[in-house]
């Protein structure tokens, strides 16, 4: 990548970072929402475990509460939805301008999404701070688990952003994606394990979640943090890496088809 393309890419990241903070009230409210979620889930999990003396599905109450704290925080950072997303650009007719830029649309979009994730990083302090306030987050199982967690987070970032990108590309086939986004958000939240650990789900539902990429974006890194990587650490990281490659290839394929639709609409 040339220096010019690097500067252009970083400018898109900067746009993604500045855009959400131009609406400071909304961003601050989102931080409050995360803190409230963490506190409420801690209260609920403790109430659920109140009648149990031992662990459930291998997780005791401290692990269940800690999972909720970390899962909500990770999802709040990685699952951000850019305001300048592809669907809004298509709907407003600005996609033509994007296509004339020196950067490809996929690179532009991923750069802006990265900026949004960076802008959401204060959520980490809020989420973990709320978790410490309610006594709901314990240190990782060991230093190696902490390192593996960080590696897994990088892969989870790739999976999450590619999923968001693919969702945005659907707007080339339907200009009104509100209903699709709502359904997608529900499925993504549930099957990613951001609020409910997959180990609490029945076997058949765990199999469904394991066959989809969502769990690689939240459940896998959080499970690794608590020393419970699905299928073992090597397999867990391998599955995440697989989904990064598979989703990237799928995004390129979908975009190659979408470009023809841009020509048709513009013709």
């Amino acid at each position: 990548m040339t220096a010019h393309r690097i500067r252009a890419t970083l400018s898109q990241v900067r746009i993604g970072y500045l855009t959400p903070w131009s609406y400071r009230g909304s961003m601050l409210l989102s931080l409050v929402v995360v803190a409230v979620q963490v506190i409420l889930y801690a209260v609920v999990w403790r109430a659920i475990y109140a009648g149990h003396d031992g662990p459930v599905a291998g997780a005791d109450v401290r692990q269940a509460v800690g999972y909720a704290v970390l899962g909500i925080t990770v999802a709040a950072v990685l699952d951000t939805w850019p305001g300048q997303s592809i669907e809004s650009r298509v709907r407003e007719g600005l996609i033509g301008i994007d296509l004339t830029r020196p950067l490809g649309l996929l690179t532009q979009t991923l750069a802006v999404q990265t900026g949004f994730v960076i802008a959401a990083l204060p959520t980490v302090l809020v989420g973990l701070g709320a978790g410490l306030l309610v006594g709901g987050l314990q240190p990782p199982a060991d230093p190696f688990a902490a390192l593996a967690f960080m590696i897994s987070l990088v892969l989870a970032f790739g999976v999450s952003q590619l999923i968001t990108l693919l969702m945005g590309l659907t707007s080339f086939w339907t200009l009104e994606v509100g209903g699709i986004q709502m359904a997608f958000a529900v499925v993504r939240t549930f099957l990613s394990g951001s609020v409910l650990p997959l180990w609490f789900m029945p076997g058949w539902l765990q199999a469904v979640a394991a066959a989809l990429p969502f769990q690689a974006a939240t459940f896998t890194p959080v499970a690794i943090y608590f020393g419970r990587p699905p299928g073992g650490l090597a397999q867990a990281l391998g599955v995440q890496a697989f989904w990064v490659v598979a989703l990237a290839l799928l995004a390129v394929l979908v975009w190659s088809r979408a470009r023809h639709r841009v020509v048709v609409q513009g013709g």
Side-chain angles (χ1 to χ4, degrees), residues 4-224:
H4 175 70
R5 290 181 63 84
I6 291 175
R7 287 195 298 271
T9 302
L10 291 177
S11 71
Q12 294 298 300
V13 173
R14 183 172 182 272
I15 290 172
Y17 170 77
L18 293 176
T19 299
W21 280 108
S22 63
Y23 304 95
R24 296 178 188 272
S26 177
M27 284 294 291
L28 293 175
L29 180 60
S30 69
L31 296 179
V32 173
V33 169
V34 169
V36 171
Q37 277 187 297
V38 166
I39 294 171
L40 290 180
Y41 271 93
V43 171
V44 169
W45 277 117
R46 288 198 173 100
I48 291 174
Y49 271 85
H52 297 276
D53 296 328
V56 177
D60 59 21
V61 61
R62 295 175 70 182
Q63 195 172 74
V65 172
Y67 181 98
V69 172
L70 200 55
I72 291 170
T73 303
V74 169
V77 174
L78 296 185
D79 293 352
T80 54
W81 198 278
Q84 290 183 318
S85 53
I86 295 177
E87 57 267 24
S88 65
R89 306 290 291 179
V90 172
R91 183 169 54 251
E92 296 168 7
L94 299 175
I95 196 68
I97 298 175
D98 298 330
L99 296 178
T100 63
R101 291 174 176 167
L103 292 176
L105 182 67
L106 299 188
T107 302
Q108 293 178 50
T109 305
L110 288 173
V112 171
Q113 290 178 192
T114 299
F116 267 74
V117 171
I118 295 172
L121 286 179
T123 305
V124 175
L125 297 177
V126 174
L128 299 187
L132 292 174
L133 180 65
V134 298
L137 186 62
Q138 303 301 316
D142 53 63
F144 183 72
L147 175 61
F149 170 68
M150 297 305 296
I151 296 173
S152 182
L153 269 184
V154 173
L155 293 170
F157 167 81
V159 173
S160 180
Q161 300 316 302
L162 287 166
I163 289 174
T164 300
L165 172 63
L166 283 164
M167 183 61 211
L169 289 174
T170 62
S171 59
F172 286 99
W173 282 268
T174 171
L175 295 179
E176 181 49 60
V177 296
I180 297 176
Q181 285 183 1
M182 290 179 62
F184 171 76
V186 171
V187 173
R188 181 178 190 170
T189 300
F190 186 71
L191 294 182
S192 70
S194 61
V195 294
L196 180 68
L198 267 59
W199 55 62
F200 286 149
M201 297 182 182
W204 66 269
L205 192 52
Q206 290 187 38
V208 171
L212 297 172
F214 305 110
Q215 46 83 28
T218 303
F219 174 73
T220 298
V222 179
I224 288 175

